[in-house]
Amino acid sequence: MNERVVLSAEGIVKRWPNGRVVLDGVTLSIMEREVVAIVGANGCGKSTLLSVLAGLESVHAGSVRLRGQPAALPNVDARASRQEERVLRAHRARVGLVFQQYHLFPHLTVGANCMMGPQYGLGLHVSEAAARARAALLRVGMHEAFDRAVTELSGGQQQRVAIARALANTPEVLLLDEPTSALDPQRTREIGALVRELASESATTMVVVTHDLELARDVADRVVFLDAGRVEAELPTEQFFGSQDAAIREFLAHA
Ligand SMILES: Nc1ncnc2c1ncn2[C@@H]1O[C@H](COP(=O)(O)OP(=O)(O)OP(=O)(O)O)[C@@H](O)[C@H]1O
Ligand SMILES: [Mg+2]
């Protein structure tokens, strides 16, 4: 196993209860300090794949590893043992996922949202958790909002807090699900700038799902093109955008 691989998935198969296959044997590796963009049409399985990588979705087959350690993914057909649940919790704490619709806790303040992971996921003392939360909020330009209610914030501000919440755990890999899709053009530019900044920090290992191909082109070292639950292509960014492959050209023409 290559020791530079941070996160990998192998042969992931997932069907919804209605029998529809959403992930059809996905294999993927994310290398240390690499920024990977996942692109593909609506409904091709991008969000589901990120949830699987983060250890939040059950699967029918396949495995996810973090630095070679199996994540003990929940299998839809089996109950997890206590040991497996412990391994899975540890996996979730080390992988930062920012959801497409933020999913902040609306009844908590900005600070409390960002302290949850350090406190309960990493088991840190409350003062250390608060320090981590403040540092993460500073990185996204939201440190002055520590005591504010999440519900008072605009969409762009909530997205910043959602990113800070993931960063507060100092994740080994950051997974961003369409960080700009729910925002107006001005906020899209601002969050785009933040994502570009995070991606340019040399220690960042990041996977970003996006419909914003300009953003993908700017930040990604590699592009993974997902189509109907399969990895249709996986190419260095410049090669992806210059590809003559019919399916890629078709996607780029309509994106
Ligand atoms: N709980 C569920 N039960 C059944 N089908 C689901 C469920 N969640 C998602 N789906 C379907 O699975 C497919 C993949 O969903 P997913 O959210 O992963 O797609 P996506 O690539 O992220 O799409 P988008 O670009 O719109 O965000 C979609 O067709 C969606 O309707
Ligand atoms: Mg999605």
Side-chain angles (χ1 to χ4, degrees):
M1 163 123 198
N2 186 325
E3 37 180 79
R4 286 193 56 234
V5 176
V6 176
L7 186 64
S8 61
E10 205 179 313
I12 299 291
V13 175
K14 181 173 175 72
R15 294 181 289 274
W16 295 120
N18 61 12
R20 204 174 149 235
V21 175
V22 57
L23 297 174
D24 193 6
V26 173
T27 294
L28 185 76
S29 293
I30 312 299
M31 314 298 283
E32 180 100 60
R33 298 177 178 208
E34 187 180 37
V35 178
V36 173
I38 300 181
V39 302
N42 288 119
C44 71
K46 305 181 297 295
S47 294
T48 309
L49 177 59
L50 281 198
S51 290
V52 167
L53 290 172
L56 298 174
E57 274 286 357
S58 60
V59 295
H60 291 78
S63 60
V64 165
R65 288 166 187 268
L66 185 58
R67 297 196 191 276
Q69 273 177 304
L73 282 187
N75 186 293
V76 278
D77 301 320
R79 254 184 89 89
S81 68
R82 281 206 175 165
Q83 169 61 14
E84 285 170 329
E85 274 174 15
R86 256 196 303 277
V87 171
L88 189 58
R89 267 204 306 278
H91 179 86
R92 288 173 180 157
R94 292 166 63 192
V95 175
L97 173 60
V98 180
F99 297 94
Q100 197 163 354
Q101 299 298 334
Y102 326 137
H103 291 315
L104 294 170
F105 299 108
H107 58 292
L108 296 179
T109 62
V110 166
N113 263 279
C114 297
M115 286 171 64
M116 295 275 292
Q119 214 176 337
Y120 302 109
L122 304 180
L124 298 178
H125 186 266
V126 60
S127 58
E128 176 61 15
R132 291 276 191 107
R134 285 186 195 281
L137 286 164
L138 185 63
R139 281 178 78 185
V140 302
M142 289 295 292
H143 47 294
E144 282 167 10
F146 191 89
D147 293 313
R148 286 182 68 185
V150 158
T151 46
E152 287 173 12
L153 305 179
S154 70
Q157 289 171 323
Q158 290 193 37
Q159 182 62 288
R160 283 175 191 274
V161 173
I163 293 171
R165 180 174 63 175
L167 291 174
N169 266 4
T170 50
E172 290 170 54
V173 50
L174 183 65
L175 312 179
L176 297 175
D177 196 357
E178 304 211 16
T180 59
S181 72
L183 305 172
D184 62 44
Q186 167 71 15
R187 304 307 144 220
T188 294
R189 275 193 296 279
E190 288 172 17
I191 296 294
L194 174 62
V195 173
R196 286 173 172 85
E197 203 177 297
L198 291 172
S200 72
E201 287 169 14
S202 65
T204 304
T205 304
M206 190 159 103
V207 179
V208 54
V209 165
T210 186
H211 285 289
D212 180 345
L213 295 180
E214 223 174 283
L215 180 66
R217 201 169 190 154
D218 282 359
V219 302
D221 301 306
R222 195 152 59 90
V223 178
V224 171
F225 175 37
L226 211 60
D227 187 25
R230 288 170 171 272
V231 176
E232 175 74 28
E234 202 179 345
L235 290 168
T237 304
E238 279 315 307
Q239 281 181 37
F240 178 79
F241 285 99
S243 172
Q244 293 308 312
D245 174 87
I248 296 177
R249 295 258 43 105
E250 166 86 9
F251 169 73
L252 290 175
H254 294 98

